[in-house]
Structures are given as C-alpha cells and as structure tokens.
C-alpha cells in the first residue's frame, strides 16, 4: 500500500499522521520529512530515486505500507503523475497547494494566472512575457534572479518571492527586477511574476490560460501587410504557442504580432515607421494581448532581443533573413512581393541548415454583382518562403 501525503506546514490530519506512524518506508524531499517528523526508526529515502526505492520496498520480503511525502497538493506538479505513469495507484491525502497559498498570502486572485513548472528558463520567461500573472515553481536555474535577468529590460514585471513557503523560515518578499538579480535568495519555492500595468479583465469564467482567439487572420483593410489568406498560411507555418517567442520583423500594422500573441506566444514586433508603431500599439490594446514593440531597422534592431522560436519577416532581404537564421529559430517564414528575390532567400535558409520551401498564394475575392451572379476580384500574389530546422 502506497499513500502520498501532502504537507503545507500545518499539522497533519489524524488520518495522515496515522499513515506516517504506521509506515515501513517514508520518502520525499528532506524539508518535508523534517517538517512531518516520522519515527526515527523508519527507513527513509530523502529525495533520490523515489520510484526505485518504492520498487525495491514492494519487492522485499517485509514489504509494508509506504508513504511518499510532498509539498502541498501532490497531484499538482507533484509525485502522483509520476507514480501513476509507473503503474502504481496510490492513495492520496492532499494539502493546500503551495501556489494557492502563495496567491492567498499575496492577496491576489489567481483564477486568471498561469502556473509554470519547467527546468527551461527561456520557456518560463516567455510565458511571463505573454501573460500578466504567472506563478513559477522555482528550480535550479529558474529562480527569481534568473527570471529577472531574462525578462529585463524588455518586459517590466513585479516579483513576489516566497522563501521556504510552509517552513519555519517562511518569508514573502516583494522585489523589483533590478533588486532580484543581485540579492541572495534562501530556498525560493514560488515566484509570482505580475504585470502591474495590466488592465483588469471583464468576465473571468475559465481558470488558467485563456482560450484561443475567437477569430484570427481576419481581414485588415488598409493594412500594408499581406492579405488574410496568406497570413493564415504564415501562422500555420510559425505554429505560435504558449512558451514560444516570435519575432515579427517589419510588423506593419501588427496583424501577425497580435495573432501570435492571441495563441499564447510571447511576441517582439520590430517596425521602423513611427506611424505604424502607433497603429500596432492601438491594435495590441484593442485585442488585450501582450506584444513588446521595438522601433528600429533590422538587422541592427534584432541584436538585443532574446532568441526566438519562430520568425516572420515581411519583405526582408537576404541579409535580414541571415541575421534571423543565425539565432536558430525552429521556424522562419518570409513574405515577398518580388519573385526575383526568392532564390537568394532560399539559398540563405539552406545555408543555415533549414529545409526551405516556397508557396505562391494568389487569392481571389468573390463579389456579388447587382444581378446576383458572382465575380472574382484577383489580388496581388504573395510568395511565402518558409524554412524549418532539419
């Protein structure tokens, strides 16, 4: 019999205490074992390979009940998933999750927050760029100092750091990003990353990530960019998603930027024209998404930006495409009006190890005549070149 017990710093329930006292094996993080205080004579496995310890215990002649201890709710970024994937069906006695306790201590509602648990700093930071309220489960290399360094200076955020949450040295620290990079941190468990400038949403009916956009690649009359049909193909090749970072170079009026952000990606829009930058700002506000705007000329404007997962280049030449390819995105998409420029761009993509292809998109809009018949109004063709890493 295996019982998984969550501990949030409060006294265990009588049932959970009895399970610990009757256990023939106790395993879990050292800080939780110290907090729970099992009988000194009971064999313990502190951290280490929990699954191996359980297998050896269950195969032994003595056997007996085993207890796996966890922080907070063990079904929320805890050991329950790993145990069930291993073919074990434990009894679970949860406690309040550390994330819910963190938001409660901070005095913040959290049904509109995202929770991130990953050893990949850049993915965690990209979620913080794209969303206004994120709880990051700290891990080696993914703590308050690393997050602050990764986000600054392009993504200003407020940090609320919880040290030893549920333990004897529990502390809650509100930190500016500059301070977070230099101060010593003692056992940070949860980092809340919050955009203090975010406008409060209206109705909140879904916890966690917001649903995808109700409409994307919509027609944008008067825009200098490509048409809706070609833009839909661009988005399909970029595949923007939560945790990704996308560059939109020559962003125009920001249609691609807004669509990518609507799918959950972090986005940097690069545009040199001041008037178009103002349009992008208004479009971003109107759609309620997060887009970091850089006014400047590529490729020079790209140097300070974090490495992307996907890049869209609107009409850029081979030198811009090469500058993007050097940064190693998984997908690189370029739109051209002049077919004569395509061979040079394809050559650059292949030089940097991309599987490169091209598609000409020529859409015809249907219009109804006064007599009720339909007429096709052709639009200018667009050549879409796209490359993916081999």
């Amino acid at each position: 019999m295996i019982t998984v017990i969550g501990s949030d710093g409060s006294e265990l329930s009588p049932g959970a205490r009895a399970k610990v006292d009757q256990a023939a094996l106790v395993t879990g993080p050292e800080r939780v074992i110290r907090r729970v205080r099992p009988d000194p004579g009971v064999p313990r496995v502190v951290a280490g390979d929990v699954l191996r310890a359980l297998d050896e215990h269950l195969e032994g002649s003595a056997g007996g009940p085993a207890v796996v201890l966890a922080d907070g709710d063990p079904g929320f970024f805890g050991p329950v998933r790993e145990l069930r994937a291993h073919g074990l069906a434990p009894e679970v006695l949860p406690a309040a999750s550390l994330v819910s306790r963190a938001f409660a201590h901070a005095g913040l509602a959290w049904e509109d927050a995202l929770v991130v648990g990953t050893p990949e700093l850049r993915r965690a930071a990209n979620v913080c760029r794209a969303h206004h309220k994120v709880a990051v489960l700290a891990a080696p290399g993914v703590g308050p100092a690393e997050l602050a360094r990764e986000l600054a200076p392009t993504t200003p955020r407020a940090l609320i750091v919880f040290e030893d949450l549920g333990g004897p040295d529990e502390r809650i620290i509100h930190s500016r990003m500059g301070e977070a990079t230099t101060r010593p941190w003692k056992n940070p468990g949860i980092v809340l990353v919050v955009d203090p400038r975010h406008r409060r949403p209206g109705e909140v009916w879904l916890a966690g990530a917001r649903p995808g956009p109700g409409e994307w690649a919509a027609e944008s009359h008067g825009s200098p960019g490509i048409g809706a049909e070609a833009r839909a193909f661009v988005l399909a090749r970029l595949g923007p998603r939560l945790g990704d970072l996308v560059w939109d170079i020559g962003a125009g009026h920001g249609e691609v930027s807004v669509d990518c952000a609507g799918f959950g990606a972090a986005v940097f829009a690069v545009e040199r024209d001041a008037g178009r930058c103002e349009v992008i700002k208004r479009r971003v506000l109107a759609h309620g998404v997060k887009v970091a705007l850089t006014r400047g000329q590529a490729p020079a404007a790209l140097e300070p930006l974090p490495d992307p997962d996907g890049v869209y280049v609107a009409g850029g030449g081979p030198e811009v495409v090469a500058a993007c390819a050097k940064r190693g995105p998984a997908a690189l998409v370029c739109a051209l009006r002049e077919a004569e420029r395509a061979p040079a761009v394809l050559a650059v993509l292949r030089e940097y190890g991309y599987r490169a292809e091209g598609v000409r998109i020529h859409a015809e809009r249907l219009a109804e005549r006064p007599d009720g018949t339909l007429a096709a109004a052709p639009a200018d063709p667009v050549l879409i070149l796209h490359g993916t890493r081999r």
Side-chain angles (χ1 to χ4, degrees):
M1 177 65 179
I2 299 173
T3 304
V4 181
I5 299 175
S7 169
D8 57 15
S10 58
E11 287 295 323
L12 295 180
S13 68
R17 184 77 258 173
K19 294 285 186 182
V20 173
D21 293 341
Q22 297 164 9
L25 172 71
V26 174
T27 182
E30 182 179 7
R31 64 183 180 279
V32 183
I33 291 178
R34 286 201 312 267
R35 187 190 306 158
V36 171
R37 304 182 307 279
D39 188 291
V42 176
R44 306 178 187 185
V45 175
V46 178
D49 191 337
V50 173
L51 294 179
R52 181 179 177 180
L54 290 173
D55 285 342
E56 292 176 351
H57 174 75
L58 294 174
E59 291 170 3
S61 57
V67 166
V68 179
L69 297 173
D71 267 324
D73 182 354
F76 189 66
F77 290 93
V80 171
R81 181 189 301 275
E82 187 178 10
L83 292 175
R84 294 194 67 89
H86 194 61
L88 302 173
E91 178 187 8
V92 180
L93 303 178
S97 76
L98 297 186
V99 175
S100 65
R101 294 188 67 220
F103 277 106
H105 281 308
L108 295 174
W110 69 291
E111 69 274 2
D112 58 337
L114 298 182
V115 181
V116 176
T118 175
E120 298 181 49
L121 174 62
R122 66 185 306 272
R123 291 191 70 82
N126 286 340
V127 176
C128 295
R129 290 185 177 103
H131 202 73
H132 67 279
K133 189 186 295 179
V134 182
V136 180
L137 305 181
V142 187
E146 294 87 354
L147 285 166
R149 279 192 291 268
E150 186 76 10
L151 293 172
T154 58
T155 311
R157 293 289 187 268
L159 303 184
I160 308 173
V161 183
F162 295 82
E163 294 184 331
D164 195 33
L165 186 58
D169 299 321
E170 178 176 289
R171 283 203 308 168
I172 304 169
I173 302 166
H174 294 253
S175 174
R176 294 186 295 272
M177 293 178 68
E179 176 191 2
T181 62
T182 57
R183 71 174 295 158
W185 296 102
K186 182 181 179 181
N187 191 24
I190 304 283
V191 183
L192 303 187
V193 184
V194 181
D195 181 0
R197 305 169 304 172
H198 181 76
R199 295 183 301 175
R200 182 179 177 180
E203 179 187 17
V204 177
W205 61 274
L206 179 69
R210 59 182 178 269
E215 182 181 26
W216 53 281
E219 184 62 26
S220 182
H221 300 285
S223 169
I226 59 177
E229 296 80 10
R231 196 162 70 253
F233 183 82
V234 166
L235 292 166
R237 290 302 178 190
L238 285 175
R241 58 183 176 172
L242 191 65
D244 288 347
L245 188 145
V246 176
W247 289 355
D248 180 11
I249 302 171
H253 287 176
E255 293 91 345
V256 170
S257 292
V258 167
D259 279 330
C260 289
F263 285 114
V267 181
F268 280 83
V270 180
E271 174 55 55
R272 64 181 179 181
D273 183 81
R276 291 178 181 177
C277 286
E278 293 302 316
V279 175
I280 293 172
K281 292 177 184 178
R282 292 195 295 270
R283 186 181 296 276
V284 167
L285 288 173
H287 286 81
V289 295
K290 301 288 184 188
V291 173
L293 178 60
T294 296
R295 184 184 171 194
Q297 175 86 36
L302 308 179
E303 293 179 5
L305 303 185
D307 290 340
D309 298 285
V311 175
Y312 171 62
V313 181
E319 68 284 353
V320 175
V321 175
C324 296
K326 287 178 182 177
R327 304 290 287 272
L332 205 165
V333 184
C334 182
L336 298 176
R337 296 286 186 184
E338 302 85 16
E340 295 78 10
R341 304 173 67 185
V345 172
L346 288 171
V348 168
L349 290 173
R350 289 166 182 152
E351 177 186 351
Y352 284 92
Y354 287 86
R355 184 176 63 251
E357 301 174 283
V359 175
R360 184 189 296 275
I361 297 179
H362 190 168
E364 293 189 350
R365 294 300 179 88
L366 296 180
E368 189 173 2
R369 297 190 182 99
D371 62 1
T373 60
L374 297 177
D380 293 335
V382 180
L383 189 61
I384 307 294
L385 308 181
H386 54 92
T388 53
R389 280 288 187 187
R390 298 185 189 278

